[in-house]
Amino acid sequence: MESSLQTILDNIKKYSPNANTEGVVRAYEFAKKAHEGQFRKSGEAYVHHPIEVATIMTELEMDCPSIEAALLHDVVEDTDYTLDDIKNEFGDDVALIVDGVTKIGKIHYTSQEEQQVENLRKMFLAMAKDIRVILIKLADRLHNMRTLKSMPPEKQLRIARETMEVYAPLAHRLGMSTIKGELEDLSLKYLDPIAYHEIAESINQKKKEREQYISAIISELQEKLDAIGIKGQINGRAKHFYSIYRKMYTQHKTLDEIYDLFAVRVIVDTVSDCYAVLGMVHEMYKPIPMRFKDYIAMPKPNMYQSLHTTVIGPYGRPLEIQIRTWDMHTVAEKGIAAHWKYKEGVTSDSETDSKLAWVRQLLEMQKDTMDEDDFMRTLKIDLFADEVFVFTPKGDVINLPVGATPIDFAFAIHSAIGCKMMGAKVNSKIVPIDHPLQNGDIVEVLTSSSVHGPSRDWLKIVKTSQARNKINQWFKKERREENIVRGKDLLEKELKRHSLSFSQLFREEWVAPLLKRYTLNSLDDLYASIGYGGLTAQKVVIRLRDEYLKVAKLEKEEVHKQFPPEIDYNEAKSTKTSSNGIVVHGIDNCLVRLSKCCTPVPGDDIIGFITRGRGVSVHRRDCPNISPQSLSEEDMNRLIGVSWETSKPTGEFLSDLQVEADDRTGLLAEITVAITETKAPIRAFNARTAKGNVAIVNITVEITSTSQLEAIMKKIRNLKGVYDVTRCTQ
């Protein structure tokens, strides 16, 4: 039997001696056959990847169906085998896990952001059904990160950034510190390779000195443990590179100024031993005030339990000491995998279910959050946020993210309390409703029957997805008519901002797929969703505008066929160039002017329109004002072929640009500098702020060609916080 399969089987036997591994062997052979002839970017056989993922799953001590699914997790996506083949060969349980893990990249999405959100939504949905899905996802990502060096640089950055933003926080949320630490370190290696290698080299240089220091501490602690008769294991724990990196940059310290690069961990048999060891440590070393945390009495939401204390060790150096039981240590390392309800054949585990309550809350939230950006923002808050522990007046502990307010607290208790909230007391004192709560605060919510619901302004204050979701649900249910009116108003303003009309965009063949995409039944549902904040007017208009531009492009191609620019429409007449550098096909010495509605510049694809008494007006071919939708049949006959002079046109060519960006300090100055670098004079500049803290900047620049204009647009797009740069049409 091959060594890789033997390693998997040996690992299983260590933690589950009586496991039936026959399915694992069959899955191994099935994966080998399915992936035969496929290779990874590194050149190794593709099947090596699922084998490594399965090996990681055995290190988490997962059951046989999990390991079978890990071996098969890429079969449906990357081979000719189907999910039915998996189901027939390995059963519904394994097929369900494989389906949850399978990526949905084969489905077409309009943007990379939308695809990422859809992937995450499916992942969380599958995760709520069966936690094994996400454990395989994490193992899959871990092995991909370990082998990332074979990928192109741009793909390395994209995958590393996604790992740092989603997968490492997810591992943390599930309490899987070992996987979380390795994912962060591997991501840092690609996101900031200089800092990564500097930290690695510096730590390696002083490794011996630190090891001697920690060894001395361990000897002292072990001697004291033996003296008081407590059995325990003591070891040193090196900080992860990313943890050091984050501390250096958040606290503006050099590596030499960070003394707690190593911590000491004491693992004992019972909870009472933990507190006895804590007392012993505080007798030996002076504790640093405010640096003690009791995560045994108040566990973290990811199930983590331990005592943390920072003391002044020998030579005056701060030293962190962690104290926990063996069970706590297993949970800290493996997280939810250590509590997984199927491991011992148990069919129900209310404790594990409660630990996944946040996943279900997230899924509830996403039903009413249709906007991809809002979903990602909320997801990152839920995954990243550090916690504060506050108390009800009865002493119940409520866990909230750092920065949470009394509103978040009220909705964490019950939605009815949040909707009737009129104020709050923190530690018996009245506080504003946006007051940030601190660890240990006792919070009392003041309610009134005369309060008829939350305020929309609260959506700008709350920090938890739970509170945001419940507020949105209230407005969705209680204020439908008001939401419809508000949604229409927001939509009309957004259309006006894009210089578009309702009749241009809201065709039935474009609106119907949009409603289906967001599971809406009518236009009123769409307006209501925009009104209560489930969907942004900007997102709707951009989607419909994209459809409009696709059709406009096809219609433009039809106009091309009817009026090709290279045709001379009257070969009998000579054709002269106008002062603008425009050649009008078949007409000599006519008045030519560049249309102000689309401001064509040299290099643009153009067409002429014979006006009444003002000569030929020259438009870009994609100008909405000369599209078949805008012109009558009679006016279509007045279109005429024009082209730019073959020699370089001279004169002033003005072009109007619109920039949409985060409204931040220094934005206008940076835009001005970016344009100045291209040596293009700015002829007009206007800025305003729209809803959602979006800056709208309209600029008129004088240019010589489309290549210069494209260079300007590229420079502006590269500025921080810029969403889009477009050429304006009136």
Side-chain angles (χ1 to χ4, degrees):
M1 192 177 293
E2 295 184 29
S3 60
S4 52
L5 175 58
Q6 191 60 54
T7 300
I8 291 172
L9 297 177
D10 289 345
N11 287 353
I12 295 171
K13 291 297 181 183
K14 286 177 186 175
Y15 61 84
S16 186
N18 299 320
N20 181 0
T21 56
E22 183 265 335
V24 175
V25 176
R26 284 193 296 112
Y28 177 88
E29 297 298 338
F30 193 99
K32 274 187 66 177
K33 181 182 176 183
H35 292 296
E36 190 173 4
Q38 295 180 345
F39 297 91
R40 304 190 84 208
K41 292 280 186 184
S42 60
E44 67 186 1
Y46 190 88
V47 74
H48 180 70
H49 169 66
I51 289 171
E52 287 298 315
V53 173
T55 304
I56 294 170
M57 292 295 284
T58 64
E59 291 166 2
L60 292 172
E61 301 186 1
M62 296 305 295
D63 68 342
C64 289
S66 304
I67 295 155
E68 291 167 35
L71 287 164
L72 301 168
H73 79 272
D74 277 337
V75 166
V76 174
E77 183 184 9
D78 294 333
T79 77
D80 294 332
Y81 288 98
T82 66
L83 193 62
D84 285 337
D85 294 328
I86 301 293
K87 189 181 294 185
N88 293 335
E89 187 69 26
F90 298 95
D92 292 343
D93 199 20
V94 173
L96 178 69
I97 305 171
V98 171
D99 185 41
V101 177
T102 298
K103 303 178 185 71
I104 52 175
K106 294 176 183 176
I107 301 173
H108 174 70
Y109 295 105
T110 58
S111 69
Q112 188 176 341
E113 289 76 17
E114 183 181 347
Q115 181 169 352
Q116 184 190 30
V117 168
E118 287 303 318
N119 278 326
L120 292 170
R121 277 179 169 159
K122 182 176 182 183
M123 184 170 75
F124 281 108
L125 188 61
M127 179 178 165
K129 293 178 181 176
D130 195 325
I131 190 61
R132 291 174 290 185
V133 169
I134 197 59
L135 299 181
I136 294 176
K137 270 285 190 185
L138 288 171
D140 174 57
R141 179 53 61 113
L142 180 57
H143 184 250
N144 283 336
M145 288 301 298
R146 288 173 178 174
T147 56
L148 197 58
K149 63 182 178 183
S150 57
M151 290 289 183
E154 64 276 6
K155 202 163 187 180
Q156 289 176 344
L157 282 173
R158 180 180 62 78
I159 292 173
R161 190 173 294 113
E162 184 184 58
T163 300
M164 189 70 86
E165 290 181 353
V166 177
Y167 288 92
L170 187 54
H172 170 67
R173 199 71 164 79
L174 295 172
M176 305 170 75
S177 63
T178 304
I179 288 179
K180 174 223 177 200
E182 188 174 353
L183 287 175
E184 286 178 338
D185 285 356
L186 289 169
S187 298
L188 179 63
K189 187 176 181 180
Y190 295 97
L191 295 175
D192 195 341
I194 295 174
Y196 177 88
H197 291 296
E198 280 181 357
I199 292 170
E201 188 177 333
S202 299
I203 285 179
N204 195 48
Q205 285 175 355
K206 296 188 177 181
K207 184 179 179 182
K208 189 174 181 181
E209 175 190 334
R210 292 194 183 96
E211 285 180 346
Q212 288 175 346
Y213 177 75
I214 292 297
S215 180
I217 297 286
I218 290 174
S219 296
E220 286 184 17
L221 288 171
Q222 189 64 60
E223 187 179 330
K224 286 286 186 180
L225 269 187
D226 294 341
I228 62 175
I230 292 179
K231 182 182 176 183
Q233 178 179 301
I234 309 172
N235 50 51
R237 181 187 65 87
K239 268 189 177 294
H240 287 286
F241 289 178
Y242 179 70
S243 177
I244 297 168
Y245 172 87
R246 190 171 57 185
K247 182 168 281 193
M248 287 172 66
Y249 282 86
T250 56
Q251 299 181 10
H252 307 290
K253 290 184 176 182
T254 65
L255 195 64
D256 289 334
E257 293 175 305
I258 300 174
Y259 291 110
D260 58 337
L261 295 177
F262 285 83
V264 170
R265 181 177 292 146
V266 184
I267 307 174
V268 293
D269 291 333
T270 66
V271 172
S272 59
D273 285 348
C274 290
Y275 289 100
V277 171
L278 176 68
M280 179 195 83
V281 168
H282 284 181
E283 283 181 9
M284 294 174 65
Y285 308 112
K286 184 178 180 180
I288 297 177
M290 308 300 291
R291 293 298 302 271
F292 166 65
K293 293 177 182 176
D294 187 345
Y295 293 119
I296 294 179
M298 292 187 292
K300 290 187 176 185
N302 63 7
M303 302 171 291
Y304 178 87
Q305 287 184 288
S306 203
L307 297 176
H308 288 198
T309 185
T310 304
V311 299
I312 302 297
Y315 313 113
R317 291 184 177 181
L319 172 72
E320 184 183 70
I321 297 178
Q322 300 175 356
I323 309 163
R324 61 178 67 151
T325 66
W326 285 103
D327 286 343
M328 293 173 192
H329 181 63
T330 303
V331 172
E333 296 294 304
K334 297 176 183 174
I336 202 156
H339 277 263
W340 184 65
K341 63 184 176 182
Y342 297 104
K343 181 177 291 185
E344 301 299 334
V346 180
T347 57
S348 177
D349 185 340
S350 58
E351 183 184 4
T352 304
D353 286 343
S354 69
K355 303 306 180 186
L356 287 176
W358 67 275
V359 179
R360 296 180 181 87
Q361 288 174 10
L362 190 65
L363 289 168
E364 285 298 315
M365 178 275 297
Q366 66 93 19
K367 289 178 184 176
D368 293 308
T369 307
M370 303 170 189
D371 183 76
E372 286 82 17
D373 296 333
D374 196 29
F375 180 84
M376 285 303 295
R377 183 168 56 251
T378 307
L379 173 64
K380 287 175 183 178
I381 290 171
D382 276 7
L383 293 184
F384 269 119
D386 289 327
E387 299 90 17
V388 294
F389 297 94
V390 296
F391 297 90
T392 68
K394 292 182 179 179
D396 296 327
V397 180
I398 304 295
N399 171 254
L400 296 167
V402 167
T405 67
I407 305 175
D408 295 291
F409 177 87
F411 280 102
I413 300 297
H414 198 281
S415 55
I417 293 176
C419 290
K420 293 290 183 182
M421 178 177 175
M422 60 173 289
K425 287 183 179 181
V426 173
N427 303 325
S428 302
K429 294 181 180 178
I430 297 286
V431 296
I433 58 173
D434 61 351
H435 173 81
L437 300 177
Q438 306 295 325
N439 266 320
D441 282 347
I442 300 172
V443 186
E444 180 184 354
V445 179
L446 306 177
T447 60
S448 170
S449 57
S450 62
V451 175
H452 298 297
S455 163
R456 286 191 188 277
D457 292 335
W458 289 6
L459 292 169
K460 301 174 185 176
I461 298 172
V462 295
K463 299 296 180 184
T464 61
S465 59
Q466 184 181 14
R468 184 181 303 278
N469 181 40
K470 287 180 177 178
I471 293 169
N472 276 330
Q473 282 181 342
W474 188 90
F475 279 105
K476 179 181 179 181
K477 183 179 178 181
E478 303 291 335
R479 301 286 174 89
R480 178 173 168 80
E481 295 305 317
E482 178 187 314
N483 291 333
I484 290 172
V485 173
R486 187 168 183 268
K488 280 183 179 178
D489 182 53
L490 291 170
L491 200 54
E492 285 171 4
K493 288 178 180 177
E494 189 66 21
L495 286 167
K496 188 176 181 181
R497 193 166 69 83
H498 285 271
S499 303
L500 293 165
S501 67
F502 187 90
S503 60
Q504 282 178 307
L505 296 194
F506 279 75
R507 292 188 185 181
E508 185 178 350
E509 63 268 29
W510 299 341
V511 173
L514 184 72
L515 296 178
K516 185 177 180 182
R517 164 72 180 82
Y518 293 118
T519 60
L520 301 170
N521 297 319
S522 65
L523 271 178
D524 278 353
D525 288 345
L526 180 67
Y527 300 144
S529 295
I530 295 170
Y532 76 76
L535 192 60
T536 65
Q538 182 185 33
K539 188 75 69 177
V540 171
V541 169
I542 287 174
R543 281 183 177 278
L544 294 177
R545 184 193 68 180
D546 289 345
E547 295 298 326
Y548 171 80
L549 291 176
K550 284 179 193 173
V551 173
K553 182 180 179 183
L554 292 173
E555 291 171 343
K556 181 179 75 173
E557 289 169 357
E558 289 300 314
V559 174
H560 263 285
K561 292 175 186 176
Q562 194 174 354
F563 304 100
E566 66 273 12
I567 293 178
D568 188 337
Y569 285 90
N570 189 346
E571 294 180 4
K573 293 186 179 181
S574 61
T575 304
K576 290 188 178 180
T577 305
S578 72
S579 60
N580 315 61
I582 300 290
V583 175
V584 182
H585 300 166
I587 299 180
D588 193 11
N589 290 333
C590 72
L591 178 65
V592 177
R593 66 184 181 86
L594 300 177
S595 169
K596 290 183 179 178
C597 64
C598 57
T599 57
V601 298
D604 280 334
D605 196 3
I606 53 175
I607 192 167
F609 181 79
I610 301 171
T611 65
R612 292 183 173 89
R614 291 180 295 156
V616 174
S617 173
V618 179
H619 295 256
R620 300 204 316 258
R621 280 189 185 256
D622 61 357
C623 177
N625 293 331
I626 53 95
S627 70
Q629 288 177 306
S630 302
L631 297 178
S632 65
E633 189 174 341
E634 179 188 349
D635 285 341
M636 287 292 291
N637 293 327
R638 292 162 61 190
L639 294 172
I640 187 168
V642 294
S643 60
W644 297 102
E645 183 187 10
T646 50
S647 61
K648 188 176 180 180
T650 58
E652 295 182 357
F653 297 95
L654 299 179
S655 185
D656 296 324
L657 299 177
Q658 180 166 291
V659 181
E660 298 177 30
D662 281 331
D663 190 6
R664 61 178 177 83
T665 304
L667 174 66
L668 301 185
E670 290 179 25
I671 292 174
T672 304
V673 170
I675 297 173
T676 304
E677 287 175 352
T678 66
K679 300 182 179 176
I682 299 174
R683 297 305 182 200
F685 200 99
N686 181 48
R688 60 189 174 86
T689 302
K691 284 188 176 180
N693 201 40
V694 176
I696 308 296
V697 185
N698 293 100
I699 313 157
T700 302
V701 290
E702 183 183 320
I703 56 172
T704 58
S705 66
T706 50
S707 59
Q708 186 183 17
L709 184 62
E710 286 166 2
I712 293 170
M713 294 172 74
K714 184 177 180 181
K715 277 185 171 289
I716 297 174
R717 280 195 187 100
N718 288 336
L719 296 177
K720 179 184 175 184
V722 170
Y723 304 135
D724 199 9
V725 184
T726 53
R727 290 180 67 180
C728 299
T729 54
Q730 299 174 359

